[in-house]
Amino acid sequence: MIRNVFCMFVMLMGAGALLACRPAAREFKVQGPEGGIALKVTLPDGFDTATGHCPMVILMHGIFSSKDYIPMPQLAKGLAKAGIASVRFDFNGHGKSEGRMQDMTIEKELADAQAIWNYVCSLPYVNGIGLLGHSQGGVVASMTAGRLAAAGGAVPDGMVLIAPGAVIKEACQGGKFFNARFDPKNPPEYIRCWGTMKLGREYLLSTQQLDIYYAGPVLLLHGDNDRIVPMWCSEKYLQTYGDKASLQVVKGENHTITRHRKVVIAHTVEFFKKVFNL
């Protein structure tokens, strides 16, 4: 069952595109530790960046995914209809960003997220910032919020975590990531997930030590038919955040957000409209 679900996940996320050759020469607006970060800004219809102001949400995709795969483009469109801009981007080694998947770690993804945060803060038309993360992107979003708060500077106005993949820590500690098994104390140079996706030794070791849970205002969304990230991940976030968080269980939804996407988008838009007082 898990194998079939993940095969569907890879197919829907366009895993083949992740292995496509990067252009030989390309300009990037934002640089991360592994090179250029590909991004796409979506603005509300008719919005003039020279004269107007609006809030923006930073969208973070999950492992083996991309800014251009479900549910990121659909979320961007839904937010834009509500007058909220967004920027979605590919983490290093994913999609059209530079770097190798095998070299990806959570720490490097945190650096990518920080670089995008700095970019959004530099945009003169942005008057509020939110974070949204799906799966592993949810882990990165929550840790980014925590680090920003610890630094004592600007922090997100609100955050949505969709099926946040905190289970990656336990998976690496237990020596089993999807269908790949390894010695957690001495992992190999890399493992292959489902025969195609490589995760490197540094990822497998460093993920075991993550300090994942940070407090902050957050909406948690989780499908009760998720076969990849268990519900206890969102429940643990809820316990950690206390009255600063709320959990919406989406009945019948899976991990890839393909069955009840409109419900997920509606909850997301409603949350950010309240956060930004729209």
Side-chain angles (χ1 to χ4, degrees), residues 197-219:
M197 304 302 182
K198 292 182 180 180
L199 292 179
R201 175 182 172 87
E202 186 179 356
Y203 176 92
L204 301 173
L205 287 172
S206 62
T207 301
Q208 298 180 41
Q209 308 301 321
L210 290 181
D211 187 3
I212 288 177
Y213 299 97
Y214 290 93
V218 61
L219 169 65

Side-chain angles (χ1 to χ4, degrees), residues 43 155 246:
L43 299 171
V155 296
S246 62

Side-chain angles (χ1 to χ4, degrees), residues 40-45 57-59 67-69 71-89 132 261 265 268-269:
K40 182 175 179 59
V41 172
T42 301
L43 299 171
D45 289 343
V57 177
I58 300 172
L59 307 179
K67 69 182 186 310
D68 298 320
Y69 302 138
M72 295 304 159
Q74 294 80 8
L75 285 164
K77 183 177 180 180
L79 289 167
K81 288 182 177 179
I84 303 170
S86 65
V87 56
R88 60 187 195 269
F89 67 98
L132 180 148
R261 191 181 311 137
I265 293 172
T268 298
V269 170

Side-chain angles (χ1 to χ4, degrees), residues 9-10 22 32 64 73 75 88 124 148 153 255:
F9 169 70
V10 171
R22 278 31 171 203
F64 306 147
L75 285 164
R88 60 187 195 269
L148 289 169
H255 187 69

Side-chain angles (χ1 to χ4, degrees), residues 122-223:
S122 74
L123 298 175
Y125 61 86
V126 173
N127 60 5
I129 307 176
L131 301 182
L132 180 148
H134 174 226
S135 196
Q136 180 167 288
V139 172
V140 177
S142 65
M143 293 183 69
T144 297
R147 292 191 178 189
L148 289 169
V155 296
D157 293 291
M159 181 169 57
V160 171
L161 305 180
I162 302 174
V167 69
I168 59 175
K169 180 175 182 177
E170 283 74 8
C172 288
Q173 288 174 336
K176 184 180 180 182
F177 204 100
F178 290 121
N179 69 322
R181 295 181 179 273
F182 56 92
D183 179 355
K185 295 183 179 179
N186 185 30
E189 178 184 358
Y190 63 85
I191 61 170
R192 289 183 182 271
C193 294
W194 307 109
T196 56
M197 304 302 182
K198 292 182 180 180
L199 292 179
R201 175 182 172 87
E202 186 179 356
Y203 176 92
L204 301 173
L205 287 172
S206 62
T207 301
Q208 298 180 41
Q209 308 301 321
L210 290 181
D211 187 3
I212 288 177
Y213 299 97
Y214 290 93
V218 61
L219 169 65
L220 295 148
L221 296 170
H222 209 127

Side-chain angles (χ1 to χ4, degrees), residues 9 12-14 61-62 65-75 134 254-259 261:
F9 169 70
L12 290 169
M13 294 303 185
H61 65 76
S65 189
S66 163
K67 69 182 186 310
D68 298 320
Y69 302 138
I70 299 169
M72 295 304 159
Q74 294 80 8
L75 285 164
H134 174 226
N254 55 28
H255 187 69
T256 54
I257 317 301
T258 57
R259 295 183 179 178
R261 191 181 311 137

